[in-house]
Amino acid sequence: MFHYLRKFDTSLLCISLFFLNFSLFFLNFSVFASMAKEEKEIVMELLPLIRVYKDGTVDRLLSSPNVPASLEDPETGVSSKDIVIADNPLVSARVFLPKNHNNPSHKLPIFVYFHGGAFCVESAFSFFVHRYLNILVSQANVIAISVDFRLLPHHPLPAAYQDGWTTLQWIASHATNTAANPEPWVLHYADFNKLYVGGETSGANIAHNLLLRAGEESLHGDLKIFGAVLSSPFFWGSKPIGSEPVEGHEQSLAMKVWSLACPDAPAGIDNPWINPCVTGAPSLATLACSKILITITGKDEFRDRNILYHDTIKESGWQGEVELFDAGDEEHAFQLFKPETDRAKAMIKHLASFLL
C-alpha cells in the first residue's frame, strides 16, 4: 500500500513540476512575445514607401533587391564595381565603365547619378538602377558614378545633398591628382571637362541643388560641371499649379515625403530646396553648368512643376542651353522599370546623345 502511495505521490510531484515548468515557459514566452511586439511596434508609415518601427528598423517597401557589381554585364558588356568615396560619414558608390574604354587618348565623360525613391527607398546597388545604368553607359559611352547617399528616415536632408557634394569634391581631387583614395577608372579614363550630374525624381532634386551650390562654392581646382540630366525632378509647393488637383493637395504624397525629408525646413514645402520657383528663391541664373536636359512624362505628377522650372530657367537670364524633352504618356521613371519598351528606348537614346 505504501508502495502505491509513494508511486501516487511521485506522479503528483511529476505532474506538478510539469505544470510549473509549463507555466514558467508560457510566462517567458508571453514576455518574449510582448517584447517582440513592442520592438516591432510601428511608429511611422509613409505608404507605399516605408514603414518605421519603434526599434529603429525600417521596411523599405518599394526598393528593388540589391544586385552585385559585374566585371562584364552579359547584355551590354559594361563593367561595374563598388567603391568607398568617404568614410565619415560613409559615402559609397557603384562605378560603371563601358566596354570600349581601352583607347587612352580618348577620355570619357563622367556622369554622377543620383537614384530616385523619395529620398528613402532604392540604392546605388539596387536592380532597377543597376540595369538602367548598364544600358545608359553602354549607349552614351560614359563613366557613371551611382552615388549611394544616406536615406530617410535616419538621415534627413541636407544629408543627401552633402553626400552629393562630397562626391563631386572627390571627383575634383582626381582632376588635381590630390585624391586620398583615388579610383583608377576615374583617374585613367575620365574627361574632367565633361562632368555631368543628374538623376530621377528625388535624385534630380539632389542634382539641381548641387548645381546651385556649385554656383556659390568652388570645387577643388575650380572644376566645372558641364551639364545636367534632370528626369522628372521632384519639385513641389504649397499652391497647386497647372493641372495639379486643388482637393487633397495638402495631403499629397509629395507633401508627406517632404515633411519626412526636411521636417525643420524654413517655409516648409515652399523652401527653395523643393520649390525652386517660389518667390525669394535663389535665381536659377546661378545654376553652375553649361547645358541642362529636363525630361517630363505625361502621367507624372511633377510635370507642370518641371515645365515651370524649365520656363523659369529660360527667363532667369541663365547663360546656358536648356532643353525640355517629353518622353510621352508614361509614369515618371518608367525607363528604369520598362527599359525594353519603344518609348524607354527612345528616351535613353536621347539621354545618351546629350551626354557628349
Side-chain angles (χ1 to χ4, degrees), residues 52-115:
V52 184
Y53 297 95
K54 189 175 181 178
D55 65 359
T57 58
V58 180
D59 286 339
R60 304 189 188 276
L61 304 173
L62 282 187
S63 284
S64 60
N66 285 358
V67 293
S70 172
L71 289 178
E72 185 174 342
D73 177 64
E75 300 295 327
T76 63
V78 170
S79 301
S80 57
K81 63 178 174 180
D82 297 336
I83 62 170
V84 173
I85 289 172
D87 291 313
N88 188 25
L90 176 65
V91 182
S92 55
R94 178 162 292 177
V95 186
F96 296 79
L97 189 67
K99 185 175 182 179
N100 300 317
H101 62 272
N102 295 319
N103 184 352
S105 63
H106 178 67
K107 301 295 185 179
L108 304 176
I110 315 164
F111 181 37
V112 183
Y113 178 83
F114 300 94
H115 66 82

Side-chain angles (χ1 to χ4, degrees), residues 142-213:
V142 299
I143 298 171
I145 300 173
S146 181
V147 184
D148 198 49
F149 52 88
R150 287 171 288 171
L151 297 178
L152 305 175
H154 299 130
H155 304 287
L157 295 176
Y161 299 155
Q162 184 57 49
D163 293 348
W165 189 253
T166 296
T167 301
L168 292 181
Q169 291 285 26
W170 175 81
I171 293 170
S173 70
H174 286 72
T176 57
N177 289 309
T178 58
N181 53 337
E183 166 48 47
W185 287 2
V186 176
L187 206 58
H188 297 153
Y189 303 119
D191 181 353
F192 297 105
N193 294 315
K194 295 289 183 67
L195 172 61
Y196 291 87
V197 297
E200 324 295 322
T201 60
S202 54
N205 175 285
I206 295 172
H208 156 77
N209 281 289
L210 290 177
L211 292 176
L212 284 179
R213 182 168 178 177

Side-chain angles (χ1 to χ4, degrees), residues 272-349:
W273 284 346
I274 186 68
N275 189 352
C277 302
V278 71
T279 301
S283 172
L284 297 183
T286 65
L287 292 169
C289 65
S290 299
K291 61 177 188 174
I292 298 175
L293 174 62
I294 303 163
T295 72
I296 58 175
T297 57
K299 297 178 181 178
D300 182 24
E301 64 182 319
F302 306 129
R303 178 184 176 90
D304 292 325
R305 297 280 169 180
N306 298 163
I307 294 172
L308 175 62
Y309 177 68
H310 166 268
D311 295 345
T312 305
I313 291 175
K314 292 190 71 173
E315 295 166 2
S316 71
W318 180 65
Q319 299 297 306
E321 299 177 6
V322 58
E323 176 188 354
L324 187 67
F325 176 77
D326 193 334
D329 193 28
E330 299 283 354
E331 306 285 349
H332 72 241
F334 78 102
Q335 75 279 10
L336 275 80
F337 308 132
K338 301 182 292 183
E340 73 285 353
T341 64
D342 290 340
R343 282 178 176 163
K345 290 178 180 178
M347 179 173 174
I348 293 172
K349 182 179 180 180

